[in-house]
Amino acid sequence: MKKIAIALTSALFAIACSQAPQIQQQPLENSVVYEMNVRQYTPEGTFAAAQQELPRLQELGIDILWLMPIHPIGVKERKGTLGSYYAIADYKAVNPEFGTMADFENFLAEAHKLGFRVILDCVANHTSPDAKWINECPADWYMRDSLGNTVVNYDWYDIAELNYDKREVWDAMADQMRFWMEKGVDGFRCDMACEVPLEFWQETISALRADYPGMYMLAEGENPALHSLSDFDASYAWELHHLLNSIARGEKNIPELLAYIEKDASEQPADAFRLMFTSNHDENSWAGTEFERMGDAAKLMAVLTFTLPGGQPLIYTGQEMGWNHRFQFFEKDPIPAWEENSYTEFYRDLIAFKHNNPALAAGVGEGEFRIVSTTDNTLVFTRSVPGNTVEVSVQLESPWHWEYKTIDTPIEHVEPLSWWVGMTTPLQLMIHGADIASYDLTIEGGKGVTVGKVHKAESPNYLFADITIASNAQPGTYWLVFTKGDTTFKYPYELQARRDGSAERTSFTTADMVYLLMPDRFANGDPTNDSTPDTEEKADRDAFFGRHGGDLQGMI
């Protein structure tokens, strides 16, 4: 019996190792998603041919590969010659156009070896009208009209809508998702997620996460409940996408963008990743390429998708070489050959910038968003976490200039985190950072706010600065400027406006303070009791972190 158990354990270990990525992966909150259109990806349009391109995508810096639906496509009411990827005939098979199941498994294994996560397109709202389930399952698994015909959405006559009033449909859909998870995929992009009951996603995602805790789930939709109820990691920022198109056309500008950022932050849960993009398969084929919709602003808008708060950026097939072509959706229309050019370098730099700056993470650990300026249709903002700050400047009009950079700073913490104008109590900042006491400190950002006296502590990693705030000082972001020789860096500090009525309240006084007395560090009233034979750590008043020997007598 023991031999059988050992053999089984070894086999399971071998399987796990064969499926585990061999290269360290980026955290999900800092990952970049790439949508792969397998049909159009190579002239062959197969898994095997796409597999040969994986090293190129790895070198580009891609983290998550989203494969558009890989399943067999229905024949009945098929659109075009090859049909829509989203008219699925069999959820547990692969489209022979792309190769065999073994070909897919080889693709998946190689992708994992190179450090990618791989997610599949899950089309849960509908199947093709001649799908396997149509023929093998009860008729009431599908929505039907009064004549018993299956129901379609919009002008999608090549699909049949599923009936989620039937519990069996829930179970079958969850089962096919588990089928692919067992093959080693890392999650799903869920098509038309809000057309399916959110409770279905809640139940299914919860059950799958119990066995696959690292699973990544992306929802096509932006209902906040996709996160708060259903537990999706990421959701589409459709509203932002359309806003970026409008800005590129000159219809909207900074006020609308800032209003969107504020609105999205207030509506979406703090842990939500918001998929931001300038193109995807829908936009490319039906609305046009990013160059058709955004013109010369396309690159700048891509910069925003990588740097705005909450964002998880998406790159669609061909964008990494500036492929300005609408893919035919129902026909073979491949990229003839891949080449590197200025767009490749553009996206490679953007991806590296995101990877190298924790301040650009999405979700609960994302960097604080601060507006630096909004002058002449140019928005300058920062994203900051302790030890890392990035600054982004985007000119939201022609010639669409952009710049992004890391502001190197040793600052780990500033206390208090912010302050208010109009306060009578003096402000003293405690600044913590490596060797920060060796820097000179000034402040920029507006009239009436200056640095007074600077106090150094015993530790070179602390600095205490008295900040003078005049009565005419305005609320906003100010910059603590640290200088040492030829080295200068800035750190943002927020002075907020006082709330209505707060000025009537008295300010802080000594009556509001608590003084912490530590007898050991206080005056020494009786040196004879500093150390006794049974004291393990002897007193030494010169030891910065040691016992000093102070006592209650000294306090009295």
Side-chain angles (χ1 to χ4, degrees):
M1 186 67 180
K2 288 183 178 179
K3 290 182 179 179
I4 294 174
I6 291 172
L8 180 59
T9 301
S10 300
L12 291 173
F13 178 78
I15 292 171
C17 288
S18 68
Q19 295 179 345
Q22 304 301 306
I23 296 175
Q24 182 66 37
Q25 295 175 323
Q26 283 287 331
L28 283 173
E29 63 271 17
N30 220 36
S31 294
V32 177
V33 183
Y34 185 93
E35 181 183 6
M36 179 179 283
N37 186 332
V38 177
R39 175 185 290 168
Q40 317 298 15
Y41 209 70
T42 61
E44 299 87 349
T46 62
F47 295 126
Q51 183 176 326
Q52 300 305 309
E53 299 296 329
L54 292 179
R56 178 179 59 80
L57 292 175
Q58 181 197 38
E59 195 274 336
L60 186 64
I62 297 301
D63 305 300
I64 300 173
L65 294 176
W66 153 26
L67 304 187
M68 291 174 66
I70 64 169
H71 312 294
I73 295 171
V75 175
K76 184 178 180 180
E77 304 292 352
R78 173 179 285 190
K79 291 187 175 185
T81 306
L82 299 176
S84 168
Y85 318 84
Y86 293 87
I88 293 173
D90 185 352
Y91 285 113
K92 292 186 178 180
V94 299
N95 188 344
E97 176 190 344
F98 301 156
T100 65
M101 183 67 79
D103 292 332
F104 169 74
E105 291 167 347
N106 290 336
F107 175 95
L108 182 63
E110 183 64 17
H112 281 166
K113 181 181 177 182
L114 295 176
F116 296 107
R117 292 181 173 93
V118 179
I119 64 172
L120 300 186
D121 219 319
C122 176
V123 186
N125 178 68
H126 53 261
T127 70
S128 69
D130 56 352
K132 189 175 182 181
W133 286 3
I134 287 276
N135 300 315
E136 297 181 359
C137 303
D140 61 1
W141 277 37
Y142 286 84
M143 302 295 291
R144 296 182 182 271
D145 61 21
S146 59
L147 300 177
N149 300 312
T150 57
V151 174
V152 304
N153 298 101
Y154 315 109
D155 64 341
W156 302 346
Y157 55 79
D158 59 341
I159 63 99
E161 186 178 355
L162 288 161
N163 179 14
Y164 275 83
D165 289 338
K166 299 296 295 182
R167 177 70 212 187
E168 293 84 354
V169 173
W170 288 43
D171 295 339
M173 191 60 66
D175 178 68
Q176 72 87 14
M177 293 174 70
R178 183 172 291 275
F179 171 85
W180 292 104
M181 291 300 296
E182 289 173 352
K183 283 197 173 291
V185 304
D186 300 287
F188 300 92
R189 176 266 186 188
C190 298
D191 186 65
M192 299 179 64
C194 293
E195 298 297 319
V196 174
L198 297 184
E199 292 78 10
F200 163 76
W201 296 121
Q202 178 188 27
E203 177 183 302
T204 302
I205 292 173
S206 176
L208 288 173
R209 283 202 199 280
D211 297 322
Y212 305 98
M215 179 178 68
Y216 169 79
M217 295 295 291
L218 164 63
E220 185 193 17
E222 49 188 341
N223 184 337
L226 289 165
H227 300 281
S228 59
L229 175 66
S230 302
D231 200 27
F232 277 93
D233 298 288
S235 59
Y236 272 47
W238 274 120
E239 184 178 350
L240 173 68
H241 174 71
H242 297 306
L243 174 58
L244 296 183
N245 284 334
S246 295
I247 293 173
R249 292 192 297 265
E251 300 166 354
K252 296 181 180 178
N253 210 277
I254 293 174
E256 291 84 1
L257 180 57
L258 295 181
Y260 166 81
I261 293 170
E262 182 178 2
K263 172 176 173 286
D264 200 66
S266 67
E267 292 180 349
Q268 297 290 341
D271 61 352
F273 305 164
R274 304 288 281 127
L275 192 77
M276 297 182 180
F277 48 89
T278 58
S279 188
N280 59 37
H281 67 269
D282 285 314
E283 293 299 290
N284 171 274
S285 291
W286 309 119
T289 70
E290 64 270 32
F291 305 106
E292 293 179 75
R293 289 176 285 103
M294 298 175 170
D296 293 338
K299 280 188 175 181
L300 180 145
M301 299 307 170
V303 169
L304 287 175
T305 66
F306 274 77
T307 57
L308 286 177
Q312 182 167 59
L314 169 73
I315 299 173
Y316 179 49
T317 293
Q319 284 194 281
E320 71 271 35
M321 69 173 196
W323 188 244
N324 189 9
H325 175 75
R326 296 193 190 196
F327 291 112
Q328 294 186 55
F329 208 78
F330 311 120
E331 309 293 342
K332 193 81 175 74
D333 185 22
I335 291 177
W338 288 97
E339 61 180 43
E340 289 207 1
N341 54 29
S342 62
Y343 288 93
T344 314
E345 194 62 31
F346 168 74
Y347 278 106
R348 184 183 291 116
D349 289 347
L350 262 181
I351 294 170
F353 186 67
K354 182 170 181 63
H355 286 168
N356 294 333
N357 288 284
L360 294 177
V364 292
E366 71 175 40
E368 181 180 6
F369 175 77
R370 292 176 184 260
I371 301 166
V372 178
S373 64
T374 57
T375 305
D376 297 329
N377 285 339
T378 296
L379 171 64
V380 182
F381 63 89
T382 60
R383 301 272 307 278
S384 300
V385 294
N388 179 232
T389 297
V390 301
E391 182 179 271
V392 181
S393 173
V394 286
Q395 182 181 8
L396 300 184
E397 63 181 4
S398 183
W400 308 101
H401 175 75
W402 76 88
E403 181 182 9
Y404 53 84
K405 61 184 178 181
T406 301
I407 303 175
D408 294 324
T409 167
I411 300 296
E412 295 185 24
H413 188 66
V414 175
E415 188 70 37
L417 299 177
S418 63
W419 199 249
W420 301 268
V421 296
M423 297 288 285
T424 58
T425 300
L427 170 62
Q428 185 179 80
L429 297 180
M430 182 194 76
I431 305 165
H432 178 211
D435 198 34
I436 197 64
S438 65
Y439 288 83
D440 295 326
L441 174 63
T442 57
I443 194 165
E444 297 177 352
K447 296 180 180 180
V449 182
T450 58
V451 176
K453 188 174 182 180
V454 175
H455 313 270
K456 297 184 179 181
E458 290 185 51
S459 170
N461 300 328
Y462 286 88
L463 198 64
F464 295 85
D466 298 333
I467 306 298
T468 301
I469 305 174
S471 60
N472 63 342
Q474 297 298 308
T477 300
Y478 290 76
W479 292 91
L480 304 176
V481 183
F482 296 86
T483 304
K484 180 170 65 173
D486 295 332
T487 302
T488 299
F489 68 87
K490 299 180 181 181
Y491 189 88
Y493 192 78
E494 191 78 14
L495 288 180
Q496 302 179 43
R498 297 188 69 170
R499 293 181 180 178
D500 292 341
S502 68
E504 282 69 50
R505 298 194 298 267
T506 58
S507 187
F508 294 106
T509 69
T510 54
D512 299 304
M513 308 302 292
V514 175
Y515 193 91
L516 175 65
L517 291 176
M518 298 179 62
D520 181 65
R521 298 301 175 100
F522 216 76
N524 196 356
D526 183 5
T528 63
N529 65 14
D530 287 359
S531 301
T532 61
D534 60 344
T535 303
E536 182 174 349
E537 183 182 3
K538 306 305 181 184
D540 181 358
R541 295 189 72 81
D542 293 327
F544 186 76
F545 292 107
R547 288 186 61 248
H548 285 194
D551 52 30
L552 294 174
Q553 183 63 37
M555 293 171 58
I556 295 172

